[in-house]
Amino acid sequence: MAESLDTLVADADRATAADEVRLHYDSGRLTLDEFESRLAEVHTARTRGDLEHAFRQLPRTEPPASLRLRDRRWSSLALQYSLVNVVCILVWAFTGAQTHDFWPKWVLLGTLIMYLRRLGRRSVRRELPPRGGER
């Protein structure tokens, strides 16, 4: 979990958690007494840790790793691409720097293009369609 267990939760978080507890009850994992007590825990929860405690011994539904959102902050992207380029330059420096053919320039160029494309895609905001009566 990316957030701290001390993070305060909102009403929307409690509502989502209550729906998830209901699903566990509907699937037969909880008895009626357990369901009512856990639902009360969810509604009185103040922190993320309190919500987690309400789900003890129950499987959590998290999206598979491939469906999680990527970290697309510019600093993270810059770090990824600079790391690739530094490794390529070090390989070139230790293996063939005397040949005067600086082959990492192609890696630099390719990663720069990919970095700018991903950064540009991030900054483009899609406009919402106009409301029913507006044009």
Side-chain angles (χ1 to χ4, degrees):
M1 180 171 285
E3 295 178 356
S4 169
L5 294 178
D6 293 337
T7 304
L8 295 175
V9 293
D11 290 337
D13 297 326
R14 286 186 205 93
T16 303
D19 290 339
E20 195 171 335
V21 168
R22 258 183 220 96
L23 288 174
H24 288 296
Y25 172 70
D26 291 340
S27 66
R29 290 189 186 98
L30 298 172
T31 65
L32 182 59
D33 292 334
E34 290 173 325
F35 169 68
E36 289 173 348
S37 70
R38 290 185 190 225
L39 196 58
E41 285 181 42
V42 165
H43 287 300
T44 59
R46 290 204 20 89
T47 64
R48 180 91 33 212
D50 295 338
L51 281 182
E52 289 296 319
H53 187 262
F55 289 100
R56 62 193 175 280
Q57 298 178 330
L58 292 174
R60 294 304 302 258
T61 55
E62 291 185 14
S66 63
L67 297 180
R68 292 189 185 134
L69 295 175
R70 289 183 180 176
D71 186 2
R72 294 178 58 181
R73 294 180 300 222
W74 70 268
S75 58
S76 175
L77 293 175
L79 179 66
Q80 292 170 19
Y81 292 129
S82 61
L83 215 75
V84 167
N85 288 312
V86 165
V87 167
C88 288
I89 291 171
L90 288 175
V91 167
W92 171 79
F94 287 117
T95 60
Q98 298 82 12
T99 63
H100 302 294
D101 179 32
F102 185 67
W103 60 263
K105 65 186 171 205
W106 301 112
V107 178
L108 284 165
L109 180 65
T111 55
L112 177 65
I113 291 170
M114 288 189 320
Y115 174 73
L116 292 176
R117 277 188 59 205
R118 282 183 69 188
L119 199 61
R121 224 183 289 153
R122 187 177 152 258
S123 64
V124 173
R125 302 282 184 218
R126 296 179 190 222
E127 292 185 25
L128 294 174
R131 292 185 184 179
E134 299 176 15
R135 292 217 179 219

